[in-house]
Amino acid sequence: MLFVNNLRMKNVIKLQTKRTKPTNLLSLRFLFFLFLSTTFFSFSQEIKKDTTKINELDAVLVSAIRVDSKTPVTFSNLNKKDLKTRNLGQDIPILMNYMPSVVTTSDAGNGIGYTGIRVRGSDATRVNITINGIPYNDSESQETYWVNMPDFASSLESIQLQRGVGTSTNGSGAFGASLNMLTDNYSKVSSGEISNSAGSFNSRKNTVKFSTGLLNNHIEIAGRLSVLKSDGYVDRASSDLKSYFLQGTYVGKTTLIKALAFGGKEKTYQSWFGIDGETLINDRTFNSAGMYTDEFGKIRFYDNETDNYQQDHYQLHWNEKFSEKWNTNLAFHYTKGIGYFENYKENAAFADYGLAPVGSEVSTDLIRQKWLDNDFYGTTFSSNYKDKKLNLIIGGAYNKYEGNHFGKVIWARFASQSELGDHYYDYYGNKTDFNSFAKLNYNLTSKWSLFGDLQYRNVGYNANGVLSDEVDKNYNFINPKVGLTFDMNSLNSLYISYAKANKEPNRTDFENGVPKPESLDDIELGWRISSTIVTINTNFYLMNYKNQLVKTGQLDAVGNEIRANVPESYRVGLEIDAKIKIGEQVIFSPNLTVSRNKIKDYTVDTGLGLVNYGETNIAFSPNVIAGGIFSYQPISALELSLLNKYVGNQFIGNFDSEVTKLKSYNVVDFNAHYEIKPKSLFKSIVFKGLINNIFNLKYVSNAYLYGDSSVSYYPQAGINFLAGMTLKF
């Protein structure tokens, strides 16, 4: 039980990057959405335009940050069909698992609850994520908490993943990739949908969607409600998730106005700890979270060792097309996050929690809550001029984050003379983020096109409760990008690009040291082949970092991943992805990434002096990642797919040793999708089935180091299934 004791001493908990206090926010949310709705309906009354021809304007919401084949940027798309085929309740990272250079993981082991994604070895803190062009990454931690948006895939029209630096976008810097999501388009006709699924580990999802269609050819109201629950593969790694999505749209010939409100509420039993090597062999699903010894010496598990959080988003978008060449986008947004995580703490010193001693007792068992109460708001804007030769976009954003971190004790075994519920710490973290950019695609000739992109970004961050007691930083970044595309013929094109990115440290970096901002130079060289039968994208990349903040593989005292600056490091690789039609019934979509990810002259202060380990592998960066989907459609209504994912060996820390090696794995899933179109009552009845890990492979997708050389592993589920039915009317 040494491992368990270590964990209990460490108290691995995810502190200030997440969580806050439940309070009655109904009036605030109602007033804000009322403002959006009032503004929306005011526009619908004031703008009197010819609507005899309705233009599809939804995609313009993300046009300022998305790219196409004319842009020398490496990217992949997932459309609505790609998402809905396998959407049975698992999180968005799991649905993206088969994209090039992507590696995913799940704390609960079955893809529901806390999940993570890495692209080219870079985790979600280094992947810029936006929703309709609005930043989604948490401002302080730069993390993405998908658990706050359960079943969000049911409200997505498409996803674009740009690998590398990509094009200029809003929010945190892209140091591995940028991921932008476009929510549902408006619908011209009314519709309804009821979707239910269930499967292994008592997992189930219930979703209801509706759309009024365009009323009077102008206004649509659409929405979704979802409830997801799962016991998880890991012991007690349960999830109780609820979400909603509501949008009102006004459509004119040259106008699109959207008011959106969406969010989620989650309660998950903590499964953040992992297990040691011996437990991995003997008891793969063991979870030490909440474990304590009662007064009789018996091992127990606290039944409310949970994470509780609610996040609500409000967006207002206005797109105006002034002519065939000019259009503009203006958006305002507000996000409210509030919640906490709760845990049982043994032998806690009274002094550490602001409690008065009780008699001769100097410590006590107690239950504590750590809260995060934050607000994020701002605006994004862009203007686009496009003619036959030039596509020019000028845009930017201003966003502000205000976060309050505090903790309180709600119970103590030995009653204290102090008042329970008082805050034993109060910290804050405030951040402003302004950026402006100009980007263009210019057709030099019928075959050559030039891409240019220049971004200025200013970041201000002020916080306390960190190692240096208070942080007051201001960063100014210039991020240029340039590239060329050469259309060899109607089937082949080549591109080359250079991009520079700069990125500020996150809160945890300041809590564990005095970090430097990091910079990246990214070169991409690609070849695209596109025909009706085969599409192949091949690209070579070289990413040179200065002062890259790499994961050490270790956690700090409150469970956050520790990163450290390394002066020089790089990633170089070759990516290939394809879509091949084999006759009318078979489609094969393979992808492969072969890479080298190194730190130059890795030097560590061991406490006894500096030790140089030479060139070592960057943590969590496998040299080989491969995926593939083999789809067979025997009849038009039925699609059967075999999905394969291979992830090569990777290292947990930045030391190349067998102890820190995370072994390769190859997982195969099976997916079936069958649609019936009745002549009455329903427009469509869809049956979906998904068997994950059909060969019951015992594998681990994530781990961390604790102590000097011990490893904690996150095992993933063996064979498991999900099945569902959707009624559309």
Side-chain angles (χ1 to χ4, degrees):
M1 300 298 289
L2 177 61
F3 166 75
V4 172
N5 290 332
N6 282 336
L7 285 177
R8 291 161 63 190
M9 292 295 291
K10 286 166 62 73
N11 235 336
V12 181
I13 298 171
K14 302 196 172 180
L15 176 57
Q16 296 140 353
T17 58
K18 190 168 166 44
R19 312 309 164 220
T20 42
K21 69 179 180 183
T23 185
N24 187 2
L25 298 172
L26 182 60
S27 58
L28 177 62
R29 296 180 193 128
F30 175 78
L31 289 173
F32 191 84
F33 188 68
L34 182 63
F35 162 73
L36 295 183
S37 301
T38 304
T39 306
F40 158 71
F41 282 112
S42 296
F43 272 119
S44 71
Q45 292 171 4
E46 292 172 4
I47 301 173
K48 302 295 184 182
K49 298 191 177 184
D50 180 12
T51 56
T52 55
K53 181 180 178 182
I54 297 173
N55 296 325
E56 295 288 345
L57 297 171
D58 278 280
V60 182
L61 297 180
V62 291
S63 63
I65 59 174
R66 281 201 173 176
V67 298
D68 57 26
S69 59
K70 287 290 186 181
T71 309
V73 170
T74 306
F75 71 96
S76 300
N77 293 327
L78 284 180
N79 59 33
K80 200 173 190 68
K81 179 181 181 298
D82 298 325
L83 293 167
K84 73 178 183 180
T85 302
R86 292 188 293 118
N87 181 20
L88 290 159
Q90 293 177 305
D91 287 347
I92 288 175
I94 307 303
L95 298 179
M96 296 176 60
N97 187 47
Y98 298 96
M99 299 182 77
S101 296
V102 167
V103 176
T104 62
T105 186
S106 167
D107 283 7
N110 67 323
I112 300 175
Y114 272 91
T115 58
I117 186 171
R118 299 189 190 105
V119 185
R120 291 185 180 177
S122 298
D123 68 9
T125 63
R126 311 170 74 71
V127 177
N128 170 277
I129 297 175
T130 56
I131 301 172
N132 298 328
I134 306 297
Y136 181 66
N137 299 73
D138 178 81
S139 293
E140 284 196 279
S141 70
Q142 300 170 18
E143 270 283 4
T144 301
Y145 297 103
W146 302 98
V147 71
N148 295 335
M149 297 196 302
D151 199 30
F152 196 61
S154 291
S155 295
L156 286 181
E157 191 67 31
S158 63
I159 291 175
Q160 183 174 92
L161 179 68
Q162 299 174 18
R163 301 188 295 279
V165 171
T167 187
S168 289
T169 184
N170 301 314
S172 63
F175 260 48
S178 57
L179 169 63
N180 61 75
M181 296 177 281
L182 175 65
T183 56
D184 278 342
N185 288 347
Y186 65 85
S187 175
K188 297 179 183 179
V189 296
S190 61
S191 62
E193 182 177 310
I194 299 173
S195 180
N196 298 289
S197 62
S200 301
F201 318 117
N202 201 24
S203 302
R204 61 268 194 204
K205 178 177 82 77
N206 307 103
T207 301
V208 177
K209 290 185 69 176
F210 76 92
S211 169
T212 62
L214 283 179
L215 303 175
N216 198 28
N217 288 332
H218 285 292
I219 296 173
E220 183 226 28
I221 305 295
R224 171 186 57 82
L225 292 173
S226 299
V227 176
L228 290 85
K229 295 187 178 182
S230 177
D231 292 341
Y233 167 68
V234 174
D235 295 344
R236 302 182 313 285
S238 60
S239 300
D240 185 354
L241 316 174
K242 301 175 179 66
S243 69
Y244 67 94
F245 180 89
L246 181 64
Q247 73 174 8
T249 306
Y250 170 82
V251 183
K253 183 179 180 181
T254 61
T255 303
L256 176 72
I257 301 171
K258 273 194 171 187
L260 299 94
F262 58 90
K265 184 176 183 180
E266 61 93 0
K267 181 174 184 176
T268 56
Y269 196 97
Q270 296 168 22
S271 53
W272 303 331
F273 296 82
I275 53 178
D276 65 7
E278 182 179 351
T279 309
L280 181 66
I281 296 172
N282 299 319
D283 189 2
R284 289 176 59 84
T285 64
F286 179 75
N287 181 9
S288 62
M291 190 172 69
Y292 69 97
T293 305
D294 67 13
E295 62 267 35
F296 304 108
K298 185 177 180 179
I299 296 294
R300 294 183 178 275
F301 293 92
Y302 179 51
D303 61 3
N304 199 38
E305 191 94 352
T306 57
D307 183 58
N308 305 263
Y309 198 69
Q310 181 163 342
Q311 193 174 72
D312 298 282
H313 302 256
Y314 307 93
Q315 298 182 0
L316 177 64
H317 298 267
W318 178 21
N319 168 243
E320 188 69 29
K321 186 175 182 180
F322 292 101
S323 69
E324 291 301 316
K325 296 181 180 181
W326 276 103
N327 71 74
T328 60
N329 282 285
L330 178 63
F332 299 95
H333 67 89
Y334 171 62
T335 299
K336 179 64 183 179
I338 191 165
Y340 65 95
F341 66 84
E342 180 173 313
N343 76 296
Y344 193 103
K345 177 74 173 176
E346 288 188 288
N347 299 318
F350 283 113
D352 291 343
Y353 293 87
L355 301 175
V358 177
S360 61
E361 300 291 341
V362 296
S363 64
T364 181
D365 289 3
L366 54 81
I367 298 171
R368 64 184 181 180
Q369 293 179 343
K370 295 189 174 183
W371 292 82
L372 176 61
D373 183 351
N374 56 13
D375 300 273
F376 179 61
Y377 52 91
T379 180
T380 66
F381 46 87
S382 67
S383 181
N384 182 204
Y385 174 84
K386 187 175 183 179
D387 61 23
K388 291 181 179 180
K389 298 192 70 173
L390 175 66
N391 185 4
L392 173 66
I393 300 172
I394 299 173
Y398 177 80
N399 301 299
K400 187 170 184 179
Y401 171 90
E402 299 172 340
N404 295 313
H405 309 261
F406 58 92
K408 59 184 180 180
V409 176
I410 63 171
W411 173 86
R413 183 179 297 279
F414 297 110
S416 170
Q417 299 172 25
S418 304
E419 186 71 27
L420 293 179
D422 286 350
H423 293 187
Y424 65 90
Y425 69 84
D426 275 287
Y427 302 145
Y428 65 85
N430 300 321
K431 187 174 184 178
T432 58
D433 189 336
F434 168 77
N435 88 89
S436 60
F437 60 82
K439 61 181 76 172
L440 64 84
N441 274 294
Y442 183 73
N443 296 327
L444 298 170
T445 68
S446 60
K447 292 184 176 294
W448 288 93
S449 60
L450 171 69
F451 171 73
D453 184 341
L454 182 63
Q455 181 193 53
Y456 165 73
R457 183 166 177 250
N458 173 265
V459 178
Y461 182 53
N462 182 260
N464 69 347
V466 299
L467 185 67
S468 58
D469 187 47
E470 185 168 351
V471 176
D472 189 2
K473 295 288 185 179
N474 190 273
Y475 302 98
N476 290 282
F477 299 133
I478 302 293
N479 302 314
K481 307 168 184 70
V482 65
L484 286 170
T485 300
F486 175 58
D487 293 325
M488 300 169 62
N489 50 46
S490 61
L491 302 180
N492 295 267
S493 65
L494 301 174
Y495 67 86
I496 184 170
S497 66
Y498 162 79
K500 188 174 188 66
N502 294 275
K503 191 173 179 66
E504 71 280 7
N506 66 18
R507 183 183 180 96
T508 301
D509 298 325
F510 285 108
E511 289 173 341
N512 292 288
V514 184
K516 301 175 183 177
E518 47 187 334
S519 64
L520 165 63
D521 295 286
D522 179 22
I523 297 174
E524 306 274 335
L525 176 62
W527 177 18
R528 296 181 176 123
I529 303 173
S530 181
S531 73
T532 56
I533 298 176
V534 61
T535 300
I536 303 175
N537 301 301
T538 304
N539 71 284
F540 166 84
Y541 63 88
L542 172 60
M543 304 168 72
N544 267 318
Y545 297 86
K546 182 178 180 181
N547 294 323
Q548 182 180 187
L549 283 160
V550 299
K551 290 185 177 183
T552 63
Q554 295 181 319
L555 304 180
D556 64 15
V558 292
N560 296 313
E561 293 179 305
I562 296 175
R563 305 191 303 181
N565 288 115
V566 293
E568 293 185 78
S569 55
Y570 66 89
R571 302 180 190 274
V572 58
L574 177 69
E575 296 171 321
I576 304 172
D577 68 279
K579 186 174 183 179
I580 306 167
K581 293 183 179 180
I582 307 172
E584 295 296 323
Q585 297 174 306
V586 177
I587 297 177
F588 181 43
S589 303
N591 62 74
L592 171 68
T593 300
V594 180
S595 65
R596 180 180 173 89
N597 312 276
K598 297 290 185 178
I599 300 172
K600 298 179 181 179
D601 296 322
Y602 186 47
T603 303
V604 177
D605 187 350
T606 63
L608 300 175
L610 296 177
V611 177
N612 188 300
Y613 292 90
E615 188 173 77
T616 65
N617 285 287
I618 301 176
F620 301 104
S621 301
N623 291 338
V624 180
I625 304 172
I629 301 176
F630 187 88
S631 297
Y632 173 55
Q633 198 167 12
I635 56 176
S636 60
L638 176 64
E639 183 176 349
L640 307 173
S641 299
L642 204 61
L643 307 97
N644 185 83
K645 188 71 177 188
Y646 173 82
V647 177
N649 293 330
Q650 54 187 305
F651 293 93
I652 302 162
N654 300 299
F655 303 94
D656 300 347
S657 70
E658 288 300 315
V659 173
T660 61
K661 181 184 288 186
L662 198 58
K663 294 181 179 179
S664 64
Y665 56 88
N666 188 76
V667 180
V668 181
D669 300 341
F670 175 76
N671 181 218
H673 183 275
Y674 181 62
E675 184 173 14
I676 301 172
K677 293 186 177 180
K679 295 182 179 179
S680 60
L681 191 59
F682 297 108
K683 292 180 180 178
S684 161
I685 303 175
V686 178
F687 297 93
K688 290 184 283 189
L690 178 64
I691 304 176
N692 298 296
N693 195 2
I694 62 176
F695 296 117
N696 199 31
L697 179 72
K698 292 183 178 180
Y699 73 103
V700 174
S701 61
N702 196 19
Y704 70 86
L705 294 170
Y706 67 95
D708 294 329
S709 58
S710 300
V711 180
S712 180
Y713 300 96
Y714 292 83
Q716 303 300 287
I719 186 170
N720 63 95
F721 78 95
L722 291 164
M725 180 177 69
T726 300
L727 304 175
K728 299 180 180 181
F729 50 89

